[in-house]
Amino acid sequence: MISFIPGESRGHAEHGWLDARHSFSFSSYYDPQRMGYGALRVINEDRVVPTAGFPPHGHRDMEIITYVLDGELKHRDSLGSVGALRHGEIQVMSAGRGIQHSEYNGSAREPLHLLQIWIEPAITGKSASYGQGALDAAALRGGFSAVVGPRGADTPFHIDQDAWLHIAWPAAGAVLEKALDTRRRYYLHLARGAIRVGAQRLVAGDALTLEGETALRLQADGDDAEILLFDLA
């Protein structure tokens, strides 16, 4: 079964310096029907004005993935990690038994546009960790590429959960096909552009859930599509 979730149905928060869309219940947005999807707990689409951001704050027992669409994110944490994250890179932070970090728009002129994703870990109370690196753009343009996976998986980044993140950047008109496991569930989030899945057209912010399906087939309806596909137990 494939279910369509329009991006316009997401929660919305406007704070002046921050414009946020919440795929699942978060902060002041609460919908008992949207408490997550499997271990996937948060997808927040944030737009941050120049120089603004989140001051130091804490997390624990959460796998946090950050994906920048436009602009530059400045990161600093209690592990001593300091860096700038831009489009074409990904950041994966395991909060473990506790981590403090801050996140700011690194530009004095340009807005910052990003996705922050939380996945609940299968193991709690571990040491916190942080990783950041470039994505393989050529692989993503060729189809879905596994970017994040469970510990021991053949992926660049790992989390403490039986969950995978696949990303694709298909060219205009490209058709992608991906085999699915009927025993697992999938959540597709369109971060940018437009695609078609069957008769359904998706634009940025829209999502699909897929359960009991053997395959996903989609066509890029433009040349800037960026697709995140979560494979969940």
Side-chain angles (χ1 to χ4, degrees):
M1 181 176 67
I2 300 178
S3 299
F4 171 64
I5 305 169
E8 292 181 353
S9 70
R10 293 176 295 174
H12 181 222
E14 171 56 63
H15 301 288
W17 64 274
L18 169 68
D19 184 281
R21 299 280 176 177
H22 307 308
S23 296
F24 306 109
S25 294
F26 186 86
S27 188
S28 60
Y29 167 60
Y30 174 71
D31 182 340
Q33 302 303 312
R34 292 190 177 182
M35 296 303 297
Y37 188 72
L40 178 60
R41 179 61 188 84
V42 167
I43 302 178
N44 288 346
E45 181 179 4
D46 293 340
R47 288 178 166 87
V48 183
V49 303
T51 73
F54 302 90
H57 59 282
H59 297 283
R60 64 177 296 120
D61 293 327
M62 195 65 70
E63 309 295 300
I64 301 172
I65 301 169
T66 304
Y67 181 87
V68 170
L69 287 157
D70 295 294
E72 178 184 83
L73 175 73
K74 287 290 183 70
H75 169 94
R76 183 183 296 271
D77 65 43
S78 54
L79 298 178
S81 309
V82 178
L85 188 72
R86 303 173 184 86
H87 182 252
E89 301 175 308
I90 196 165
Q91 177 193 103
V92 179
M93 183 173 71
S94 291
R97 56 178 173 264
I99 191 169
Q100 294 274 329
H101 75 142
S102 62
E103 299 168 299
Y104 285 90
N105 184 341
S107 172
R109 299 180 301 278
E110 301 298 325
L112 169 65
H113 183 197
L114 63 94
L115 297 177
Q116 187 163 98
I117 298 148
W118 294 7
I119 296 176
E120 296 174 341
I123 304 170
T124 59
K126 295 185 67 175
S127 297
S129 64
Y130 172 88
Q132 175 182 329
L135 298 168
D136 184 340
L140 272 56
R141 292 189 185 101
F144 282 106
S145 179
V147 173
V148 180
R151 302 289 177 190
D154 184 19
T155 55
F157 297 93
H158 301 97
I159 57 175
D160 286 308
Q161 182 54 268
D162 181 8
W164 304 71
L165 169 58
H166 302 262
I167 301 177
W169 297 347
V175 175
L176 301 186
E177 295 190 15
K178 180 171 176 52
L180 305 180
D181 185 338
T182 57
R183 298 167 297 179
R184 298 178 67 83
R185 58 175 65 179
Y186 299 83
Y187 191 96
L188 183 152
H189 178 89
L190 185 60
R192 199 197 307 266
I195 62 173
R196 290 187 181 276
V197 179
Q200 181 67 59
R201 186 174 190 265
L202 286 77
V203 297
D206 291 344
L208 296 175
T209 60
L210 303 98
E211 298 187 25
E213 297 291 322
T214 59
L216 167 65
R217 188 179 190 275
L218 63 86
Q219 182 170 18
D221 196 12
D223 60 3
D224 61 350
E226 299 190 22
I227 309 162
L228 280 64
L229 179 66
F230 299 89
D231 174 349
L232 306 157

